[in-house]
Amino acid sequence: MAIEKKRLGNILVNAGKINSYQLQEALKSQKILGKKLGEILVESNIITEEDILESVEQQTGIKKIDLNTITFDKKAISIIPKNLCNKYLLIPFGFDKNKIKVAMADPLNIFAIDDVAISTGFEIETFISKKNDIKKFIEIYYSSQQVSIAAQQLAKESSQLKKKNFINIEEIDDVKNAPVVKMVEYLFKNSIEMNASDIHIEPFENEIRIRYRIDGQLQTVNVLNIDSLAPLITRIKILAGLNIAEKRIPQDGRIMTTIENKDVDFRVSILPVVYGEKVVIRILNTSSYNVSKEQLGINERNLKKIDRIISNPYGIVLVTGPTGSGKSTTLYSILNELNSNNVNIVTVEDPVEYTLKGVNQVNVNTRSGLTFANGLRSILRQDPDIIMIGEIRDNETAEIAIKAAITGHLVLSTLHTNNAPSSIIRLIDMGVKPYLVSTSIVGIIAQRLVRKICNKCKVSYEANKYEKEILGVDASEKLILYKGDGCGYCNSTGYLGRIGVYEIMEMTREHREAINAGANFDILRDISLKNGMTTLGIECIDLVIKGITTITELATITLIKEY
């Protein structure tokens, strides 16, 4: 691991992590393999990387640091170039008076320390950290830095072109013309590194705001001069195959590219607004759809309910919730489970977000007349056993889906409603007859996504009286809750990743009789609760008490006391 191999070996021997024989054998392997001593010892399962960190700290006084638990100083990032970070596997993270703090995989490498000191003009204070953590944060922070640098270059060039009152479209798309090309390239790469689901490019009077949606929340990542808008939008339109001359009407396109050896699908939506054109780019991460029901965070009780619902040979199964609540992921996990050689599954989606092996998927194309309703009619002539409709948007689609269910098909679809019982009311409001709704629906899954507390900066605290009241806990009882303090691992938000919250309504004879009798939402909800349904609020309260999420997240999915 170190250039001074004998020194690291002696450190490990003195710390009691390895013996002299193991050291000699590792040194022999090193001559053959050409790898660092630490790597050979770890790969041979003689010691762990944590053993090396602890030994170096104990024997040299160089402190170990967990990069996941700190907040990075971006000024420090800007001082050491990325090529040096990659060359010596190090990353700066802060300052201490005239010293720059640097985390290194190999803090014994005096050549690396001298090189960085000469390059920066700062005295170096070294820390030791895990190799993979350093690599991860190099990618995250330096890709963000590249976006900022490219943005500055783009703004400078755009300002010069504006003074000339001339923008050459061919120059904008010239690969040699680095600013706008690099800006978009780094923007895409950085959004993937940050695990964003969407990129928002929003023009205002004097500036362009760039935001990422991460774990369901929008975060501002950059602000550009408004002069950069024209070349930026033009570049994105060219990549998405859109009309660069048309600025008065909305346009939709798609960019398929490869980033870090991964195929990525960007869905581009352009909308004319007051100060130009607003761009929203949905990032389709196909790996997120290839999950089982168990991996979605559904508890055992609800898993049994879903299994009973989808085991019906025919009928409609609805997955409901607002945009971005994970409906598509749930549908794909159910389809994966139902997919087998003895059934014919056909889907009609807008768009097809993830291709499933063995499933016939149809992409909606409204321009050519291929709507959900038209596609569904054609599907029924394809001898399907199971049909998946991306969304029931209107009466026509709803009625065809219901007729398909009544005639012996299992139909899966989504609907935009706030909870499970209100889906029945929504279908009736669309104009579907109550008796058709009652005879076709077999189950409804309402869901939301809530952010999970970051495990790296998770801290406990005692709940106050108001929090206990919200959670239904007696004020006299002691209740420990959890929250995230914010760290480098979670981008200082206190949250990392999301988990599903589910409200599952199984249709019973009592439900059907109530629907036929014109029952309202409250009656349907009471029947569902009596038959074992737990609401979204109750499910989320359970996650709060278990320390998985926070009361703040509970408030985002349900009105207090609505549950």
Side-chain angles (χ1 to χ4, degrees):
M1 190 166 181
I3 286 180
E4 293 183 273
K5 302 175 185 70
K6 185 179 178 182
R7 185 181 175 191
L8 176 60
N10 290 337
I11 286 171
L12 295 172
V13 170
N14 292 337
K17 299 296 183 182
I18 62 172
N19 55 43
S20 298
Y21 174 76
Q22 288 172 320
L23 174 59
Q24 292 306 315
E25 290 300 307
L27 289 172
K28 289 177 186 177
S29 297
Q30 187 182 36
K31 290 178 181 178
I32 298 169
L33 300 172
K35 291 184 177 181
K36 293 184 177 181
L37 180 63
E39 288 179 4
I40 291 170
L41 290 168
V42 171
E43 288 172 5
S44 302
N45 294 319
I46 296 171
I47 56 172
T48 65
E49 189 176 8
E50 190 63 37
D51 289 330
I52 296 175
L53 267 62
E54 287 177 2
S55 301
V56 170
E57 184 179 42
Q58 290 170 4
Q59 300 290 315
T60 68
I62 297 171
K63 294 177 183 177
K64 67 175 180 177
I65 188 166
D66 185 350
L67 297 177
N68 298 303
T69 62
I70 64 170
T71 301
F72 282 76
D73 187 330
K74 292 185 179 178
K75 287 183 180 178
I77 296 287
S78 66
I79 287 174
I80 301 179
K82 185 181 181 182
N83 65 323
L84 270 185
C85 292
N86 285 328
K87 181 179 179 180
Y88 296 119
L89 210 51
L90 57 85
I91 188 167
F93 62 88
F95 296 95
D96 182 9
K97 296 180 181 178
N98 293 326
K99 296 180 181 179
I100 186 168
K101 297 179 178 180
V102 179
M104 304 178 68
D106 178 12
L108 306 177
N109 187 342
I110 57 173
F111 299 105
I113 295 168
D114 289 346
D115 203 350
V116 173
I118 293 167
S119 172
T120 63
F122 280 87
E123 189 179 342
I124 309 300
E125 183 178 357
T126 59
F127 296 77
I128 187 166
S129 189
K130 290 184 178 179
K131 181 168 64 175
N132 287 340
D133 285 347
I134 294 173
K135 286 180 178 178
K136 179 180 72 177
F137 286 108
I138 287 173
E139 289 305 314
I140 289 174
Y141 283 105
Y142 280 91
S143 62
S144 297
Q145 185 190 71
Q146 286 174 321
V147 171
S148 298
I149 293 170
Q152 291 168 9
Q153 293 173 342
L154 176 59
K156 183 178 179 181
E157 183 186 72
S158 300
S159 179
Q160 292 171 348
L161 289 171
K162 187 179 179 183
K163 287 177 183 177
K164 296 178 183 178
N165 293 316
F166 174 72
I167 294 179
N168 188 330
I169 296 299
E170 290 181 0
E171 280 186 10
I172 286 173
D173 194 41
D174 186 355
V175 175
K176 294 178 183 178
N177 184 345
V180 69
V181 174
K182 290 297 182 186
M183 173 68 197
V184 174
E185 178 187 332
Y186 294 148
L187 190 65
F188 286 174
K189 184 180 178 183
N190 183 233
S191 66
I192 298 295
E193 294 289 349
M194 299 289 285
N195 290 319
S197 61
D198 301 86
I199 304 170
H200 289 240
I201 301 171
E202 305 162 307
F204 297 98
E205 186 175 5
N206 299 310
E207 65 184 27
I208 308 163
R209 181 173 64 182
I210 297 178
R211 298 191 288 176
Y212 296 158
R213 188 176 293 280
I214 302 171
D215 289 338
Q217 301 290 312
L218 283 170
Q219 298 178 21
T220 300
V221 293
N222 223 305
V223 176
L224 311 182
N225 189 286
I226 192 64
D227 293 341
S228 303
L229 184 65
L232 188 59
I233 299 294
T234 300
R235 176 62 182 166
I236 291 170
K237 282 183 176 179
I238 289 169
L239 291 173
L242 302 177
N243 185 350
I244 60 175
E246 183 56 75
K247 300 179 181 179
R248 298 165 299 175
I249 60 173
Q251 294 189 70
D252 295 317
R254 181 180 187 182
I255 302 170
M256 294 290 290
T257 186
T258 302
I259 296 176
E260 300 295 325
N261 297 318
K262 294 178 183 176
D263 292 331
V264 185
D265 189 353
F266 295 99
R267 300 296 170 94
V268 179
S269 172
I270 298 180
L271 179 72
V273 292
V274 173
Y275 294 108
E277 292 175 285
K278 178 178 187 277
V279 181
V280 175
I281 302 171
R282 168 63 58 89
I283 304 167
L284 297 182
N285 182 3
T286 56
S287 62
S288 67
Y289 296 115
N290 189 23
V291 294
S292 65
K293 300 197 307 299
E294 289 75 16
Q295 292 172 303
L296 294 175
I298 307 174
N299 61 41
E300 192 65 33
R301 183 182 63 255
N302 282 335
L303 279 174
K304 289 178 181 177
K305 290 180 183 179
I306 292 175
D307 287 339
R308 285 196 297 268
I309 289 170
I310 65 175
S311 65
N312 282 279
Y314 55 87
I316 295 181
V317 178
L318 290 175
V319 182
T320 76
T323 301
S325 59
K327 299 187 298 296
S328 295
T329 305
T330 300
L331 276 181
Y332 280 126
S333 70
I334 292 173
L335 278 181
N336 263 322
E337 187 166 317
L338 295 172
N339 190 13
S340 65
N341 287 330
N342 60 348
V343 293
N344 177 22
I345 302 176
V346 189
T347 76
V348 53
E349 307 169 60
D350 183 19
V352 172
E353 296 186 14
Y354 175 58
T355 53
L356 290 167
K357 186 178 180 181
V359 176
N360 305 284
Q361 295 171 270
V362 177
N363 220 338
V364 165
N365 188 339
T366 51
R367 291 179 183 175
S368 62
L370 180 53
T371 62
F372 277 116
N374 292 339
L376 190 48
R377 285 194 190 93
S378 298
I379 284 173
L380 291 172
R381 295 191 288 271
Q382 290 283 316
D383 186 31
D385 297 294
I386 299 169
I387 299 168
M388 195 269 268
I389 309 164
E391 183 186 343
I392 293 178
R393 296 178 177 176
D394 50 45
N395 171 265
E396 187 180 13
T397 307
E399 289 199 340
I400 299 169
I402 284 171
K403 287 173 183 175
I406 292 171
T407 53
H409 303 89
L410 182 63
V411 180
L412 309 176
S413 189
T414 68
L415 198 64
H416 285 101
T417 58
N418 291 326
N419 47 56
S422 62
S423 302
I424 302 294
I425 309 301
R426 173 79 178 117
L427 288 172
I428 293 171
D429 285 345
M430 280 185 180
V432 181
K433 297 288 190 290
Y435 76 91
L436 290 175
V437 174
S438 66
T439 54
S440 61
I441 303 291
V442 294
I444 301 169
I445 304 167
Q447 69 178 80
R448 296 289 190 282
L449 291 175
V450 294
R451 292 182 294 171
K452 295 191 292 184
I453 299 169
C454 174
N455 284 324
K456 299 291 183 180
C457 59
K458 187 176 184 177
V459 294
S460 62
Y461 69 97
E462 190 171 343
N464 59 36
K465 183 180 176 181
Y466 177 62
E467 289 171 326
K468 290 176 186 176
E469 183 183 347
I470 291 171
L471 299 174
V473 175
D474 190 273
S476 62
E477 289 185 34
K478 184 177 181 180
L479 178 63
I480 301 298
L481 298 179
Y482 298 86
K483 63 181 180 179
D485 264 355
C487 63
Y489 199 67
C490 61
N491 199 26
S492 301
T493 62
Y495 297 96
L496 186 70
R498 291 188 288 176
I499 188 171
V501 181
Y502 301 87
E503 176 179 291
I504 300 172
M505 175 177 156
E506 293 181 272
M507 291 294 286
T508 64
R509 178 182 292 180
E510 195 174 354
H511 281 102
R512 293 186 176 94
E513 289 173 353
I515 294 167
N516 291 334
N520 60 23
F521 165 78
D522 292 323
I523 293 172
L524 292 172
R525 182 175 182 270
D526 289 343
I527 294 170
S528 300
L529 292 173
K530 187 178 75 174
N531 283 281
M533 183 185 83
T534 50
T535 64
L536 291 165
I538 294 296
E539 291 283 329
C540 194
I541 283 173
D542 187 46
L543 296 179
V544 172
I545 292 173
K546 286 178 178 176
I548 296 171
T549 191
T550 64
I551 282 189
T552 304
E553 286 298 286
L554 169 63
T556 66
I557 70 164
T558 182
L559 295 173
I560 300 301
K561 289 300 179 186
E562 186 182 73
Y563 45 81

